[in-house]
């Protein structure tokens, strides 16, 4: 089961907090994935197609709870994609027009309502239920192990803009993108996705996303530390190679025996331990020396070599 299907299955088991929540959720499901047909004289019919059993189950459950409507269900199998397609048909019925007006899908004497039905969204719980229904009907969420991305596909610019405003009421920042005659309302922020899932009632899924985020953060932290260590080792190795080359030149020009004891000790230790950092090399000294002390010995050797080169040039 995909992560989207898991979220929708969890949402299908969430109950509304007030009687109006069911109307809000059913309105959103019907509006987003339903097709409304009109045959004159107020004769309407609806077809709702979905590949998610949880959506079909919720649609039929709410329709039967709220209205006395016939809702024949057809289940079709796709051999090519190995999926099921659920088709719910609400045929022409005397009371259907009034029910659609009650759901805010039709405006009396005006046809299909262009935006979200504000009359159904008088309380915060109804807003959450409407958004839950919209996501169940047209939503997608990527597996958080790969990327953080959630979106809802809808039709109608006024409706899409209205859903974005509902997201804002829930504290979620969403963006709108036009796609070949439809609109995609999408969220890519981890925090916003967790906030939205929690608001819709998918608390278990929100926790799953949060757990993945923690694992990703841990892996990223480990990778940063490893990369930093590799970079430090590379710099240390390069510096050690330069120091060994300088020691070889100093031995020819100055001679190790002519150097001060501390500097001669550094040269001998560095040549014997080309892979050690300055801090580790300092622990080999007698007595042990700090990293700062070892660095000053490198600078002192550089000065001696500079003075030797200057003397050679004067001659």
């Amino acid at each position: 089961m995909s992560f989207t299907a898991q979220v929708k299955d969890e949402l299908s088991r969430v109950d509304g907090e007030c009687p109006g929540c069911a109307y809000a959720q059913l309105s959103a499901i019907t509006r987003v994935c339903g097709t409304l047909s009109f045959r004159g004289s107020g004769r309407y019919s609806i077809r709702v197609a979905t590949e998610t059993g949880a959506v079909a189950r919720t649609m039929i459950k709410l329709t039967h709870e709220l209205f006395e409507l016939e809702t024949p269900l057809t289940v079709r199998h796709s051999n090519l994609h190995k999926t099921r397609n659920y088709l719910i048909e609400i045929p022409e019925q005397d009371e259907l027009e009034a029910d659609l007006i009650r759901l805010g899908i039709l405006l009396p004497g005006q046809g299909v309502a262009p935006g979200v039905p504000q009359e159904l969204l008088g309380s915060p719980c109804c807003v959450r239920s409407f958004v839950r229904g919209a996501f169940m009907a047209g939503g997608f969420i990527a597996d958080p192990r790969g990327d953080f991305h959630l979106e809802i596909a809808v039709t109608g610019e006024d409706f899409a803009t209205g859903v974005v405003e509902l997201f804002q009421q829930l504290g979620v920042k969403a963006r709108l993108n036009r796609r070949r005659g439809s609109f995609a309302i999408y969220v890519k922020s981890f925090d916003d996705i967790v906030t939205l899932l929690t608001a819709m009632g998918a608390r278990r899924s929100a926790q799953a996303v949060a757990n993945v985020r923690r694992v990703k953060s841990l892996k990223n932290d480990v990778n940063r530390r490893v990369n930093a260590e590799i970079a430090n080792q590379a710099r240390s190795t390069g510096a050690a190679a330069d120091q060994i080359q300088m020691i070889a030149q100093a031995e020819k020009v100055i001679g190790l025996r002519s150097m001060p004891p501390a500097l001669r000790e550094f040269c001998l230790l560095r040549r014997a331990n080309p892979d050690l950092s300055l801090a580790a090399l300092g622990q080999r000294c007698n007595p042990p020396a700090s990293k700062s002390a070892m660095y000053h010995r490198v600078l002192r050797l550089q000065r001696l070599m500079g003075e030797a080169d200057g003397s050679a040039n004067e001659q």
Side-chain angles (χ1 to χ4, degrees):
M1 182 184 293
S2 68
F3 190 66
T4 298
Q6 293 177 32
V7 173
K8 291 184 179 182
D9 182 70
E10 182 180 3
L11 292 177
S12 71
R13 306 175 193 282
V14 177
D15 295 324
E17 300 173 41
C18 77
C21 290
Y23 289 95
Q25 186 172 359
L26 180 58
S27 174
I29 293 175
T30 306
R31 177 67 174 77
V32 173
C33 67
T35 301
L36 180 66
S37 298
F38 171 67
R39 203 168 60 88
S41 302
R43 306 302 294 178
Y44 296 93
S45 63
I46 299 174
R47 291 164 61 92
V48 175
T50 177
E51 294 182 355
T52 308
V55 177
R57 183 172 65 247
T58 302
M59 175 75 183
I60 293 175
K61 173 177 175 289
L62 293 177
T63 302
H64 288 176
E65 287 179 354
L66 301 178
F67 308 112
E68 295 181 0
L69 294 173
E70 299 177 26
T71 56
L73 170 66
T74 303
V75 182
R76 297 177 293 189
H77 297 266
S78 171
N79 293 327
L80 177 61
H81 300 289
K82 297 181 180 180
T83 59
R84 291 181 179 180
N85 185 276
Y86 301 87
L87 177 63
I88 302 169
E89 298 184 79
I90 304 179
E92 293 180 9
Q93 299 168 62
D94 292 339
E95 61 272 23
L96 181 56
E97 181 180 15
D99 294 340
L100 291 174
I101 293 174
R102 175 67 179 86
L103 291 175
I105 294 173
L106 288 180
L107 294 176
Q110 300 180 45
V112 178
V116 300
Q118 295 296 334
E119 65 274 14
L120 298 182
L121 308 177
S123 62
C125 61
C126 292
V127 172
R128 293 192 292 270
S129 294
F130 190 89
V131 172
R132 179 166 62 248
F135 178 82
M136 290 183 66
F140 163 82
I141 181 170
D143 189 324
R145 290 174 296 180
D147 192 14
F148 296 122
H149 180 88
L150 180 150
E151 69 175 52
I152 301 177
V154 301
T155 57
E157 187 170 3
D158 289 340
F159 184 80
T161 302
V163 174
V164 170
E165 291 174 354
L166 296 183
F167 275 39
Q168 292 173 348
Q169 292 182 34
L170 299 177
V172 176
K173 182 179 180 181
R175 297 189 178 185
L176 193 60
N177 186 25
R178 183 187 293 271
R179 290 182 182 172
R180 291 175 290 185
S182 63
F183 294 86
I185 303 162
Y186 68 94
V187 180
K188 297 187 74 69
S189 162
F190 160 78
D191 292 326
D192 284 332
I193 288 175
V194 170
T195 298
L196 183 60
L197 289 174
T198 303
M200 292 190 298
R203 298 183 181 278
R204 186 175 67 248
S205 299
Q207 185 61 49
V209 173
N211 290 340
V212 170
R213 170 65 177 269
R214 280 193 288 270
V215 172
K216 282 186 175 182
S217 297
L218 179 60
K219 288 183 177 179
N220 290 338
D221 184 57
V222 170
N223 288 337
R224 282 193 295 269
R225 291 175 182 271
V226 170
N227 291 336
E229 183 63 26
I230 291 174
N232 288 336
Q233 289 178 356
R235 286 193 294 269
S236 178
T237 300
D242 292 340
Q243 293 164 16
I244 290 174
Q245 183 178 3
M246 183 169 56
I247 291 169
Q249 295 174 347
E251 187 173 19
K252 294 178 181 178
V253 176
I254 304 173
L256 297 185
R257 293 179 180 275
S258 302
M259 294 182 183
L263 194 55
R264 181 168 63 251
E265 181 184 38
F266 163 74
C267 293
L268 294 174
L269 285 173
R270 170 51 77 200
R271 194 155 58 182
N273 302 278
D275 298 328
L276 293 183
S277 65
L278 284 178
L281 202 65
Q283 297 304 307
R284 300 288 182 94
C285 293
N286 187 20
S290 65
K291 177 181 177 180
S292 177
M294 298 301 288
Y295 181 65
H296 282 291
R297 295 183 190 184
V298 174
L299 295 179
R300 188 175 180 185
L301 181 60
Q302 289 175 339
R303 286 196 298 270
L304 287 177
M305 289 300 299
E307 293 171 359
D309 289 340
S311 299
N313 292 332
E314 290 177 0
Q315 293 177 0

